[in-house]
Amino acid sequence: MNAVPRRIRRVLAGISLPVYLLLYAPLSVIAIFSFAPSLGHPGPNLAAYGMLLNDPEVLAALRRSLTLAIGSAVLGTMLGTLMGFGLSRFRPAKGGGFWVGTLPSLIIYLPIIMPSLVFGISELIFFNFVHEYTGLLSAGLLTMGIAHVTFQAPYVALVVYARLAGLDPNLFEASQDLYANAVKSFVFLTIPVVRPALIGGFLLAITLSIDDFTISFFTAGPGSVTLPIYIYSAIARKGSSPEINALGSLMIATVIGVALLYYFVTRHRERSTRIPAVA
């Protein structure tokens, strides 16, 4: 009886190991090459990390990336929460029709499925048009932030929608029976229920912002170089170097650290809120 499950596990292991190798081998190579010998530093060393942390251009690009990521993630999470809530309340399954149910769903999905190149070029044309006729929205961190919010909010909306879709709709009716209006029901019922989704969506928005290059490249200005743009320009000038590998390794370590922190926090919260079984 156990022979078939054991064979299945072996087949799945044989399939998954090459996939994991393909995913994580490039990341491991970047981390290893960040300790490569350089001029004046023979043998594996940390010189690349020291040079990186003392580079004013890298530090300035890091500050811009963090400012852009956190600022756009806050606004994107707020808008995405409202979009996800509206999508759950007026989804097509409830008979909302095309204009109320299907059309909002299409609007949310379009920025996700649209190629980044097309999205970035359209944002560039739009901002140039507005700046030409009004003098507003010149290329810089502001235009980059607006562009990032436009693709962060749909992702947050889907995360929040997935959380709300699994709830019993009678909860909202019960809150109305307890004399809670729409605002109080949203603040005291919806927000606490979707709080894990809000945290996850916020972290996802930050990751998307830091990771984005194409849209940032088309909407950036002369003084708004972020880390992805800096890495691209540095590789274009002098190719891959231990400093660039060190920067990539630090970014990978930061993302892994944030993911692990979120995992342990959610696990601790689930254990603390778990109701003990009654003997």
Side-chain angles (χ1 to χ4, degrees):
M1 294 296 294
N2 295 329
V4 175
R6 190 177 296 112
R7 291 176 182 175
I8 294 177
R9 287 196 296 267
R10 290 177 180 176
V11 172
L12 293 177
I15 296 175
S16 59
L17 288 177
V19 174
Y20 288 139
L21 182 63
L22 180 65
L23 289 175
Y24 293 105
L27 305 181
S28 303
V29 169
I30 291 177
I32 293 173
F33 283 177
S34 65
F35 303 101
S38 57
L39 184 61
H41 300 87
N45 57 80
L46 298 173
Y49 291 90
M51 296 175 61
L52 182 67
L53 296 178
N54 292 321
D55 191 338
E57 294 185 7
V58 174
L59 297 179
L62 175 61
R63 286 193 297 269
R64 296 189 193 100
S65 293
L66 292 178
T67 302
L68 177 64
I70 296 175
S72 61
V74 170
L75 186 56
T77 302
M78 295 172 59
L79 295 178
T81 302
L82 297 177
M83 292 167 62
F85 179 75
L87 189 63
S88 68
R89 298 289 287 176
F90 302 101
R91 55 181 180 266
K94 291 189 175 183
F98 176 80
W99 296 105
V100 179
T102 306
L103 183 61
S105 302
L106 293 176
I107 293 175
I108 290 177
Y109 280 105
L110 276 178
I112 297 177
I113 64 178
M114 185 178 299
S116 298
L117 181 63
V118 177
F119 200 88
I121 293 176
S122 62
E123 294 279 354
L124 172 64
I125 296 174
F126 172 75
F127 290 138
N128 287 341
F129 177 82
V130 173
H131 181 68
E132 181 180 357
Y133 287 95
T134 66
L136 303 174
L137 297 181
S138 59
L141 282 180
L142 178 59
T143 56
M144 296 175 69
I146 296 174
H148 282 208
V149 169
T150 56
F151 69 79
Q152 288 172 335
Y155 283 96
V156 177
L158 293 181
V159 174
V160 173
Y161 171 74
R163 176 66 175 174
L164 291 174
L167 295 179
D168 187 354
N170 294 324
L171 290 174
F172 300 98
E173 297 180 2
S175 66
Q176 295 176 0
D177 293 338
L178 296 174
Y179 304 102
N181 55 26
V183 176
K184 289 183 178 180
S185 178
F186 180 79
V187 173
F188 295 104
L189 174 62
T190 305
I191 296 299
V193 168
V194 302
R195 187 176 300 164
L198 293 180
I199 297 175
F202 178 74
L203 295 178
L204 176 62
I206 290 180
T207 303
L208 291 172
S209 176
I210 295 178
D211 179 67
D212 177 73
F213 167 76
T214 305
I215 298 176
S216 299
F217 180 80
F218 283 105
T219 57
S224 56
V225 177
T226 57
L227 276 179
I229 299 177
Y230 172 83
I231 293 174
Y232 174 80
S233 60
I235 293 177
R237 291 196 310 267
K238 53 185 179 181
S240 181
S241 63
E243 292 82 4
I244 300 301
N245 294 327
L247 179 57
S249 301
L250 291 177
M251 295 177 67
I252 294 170
T254 302
V255 172
I256 294 176
V258 172
L260 291 176
L261 177 63
Y262 175 71
Y263 171 76
F264 287 116
V265 168
T266 53
R267 284 290 300 272
H268 176 72
R269 182 174 300 167
E270 290 176 357
R271 291 176 179 175
S272 61
T273 57
R274 187 176 300 167
I275 301 176
V278 180

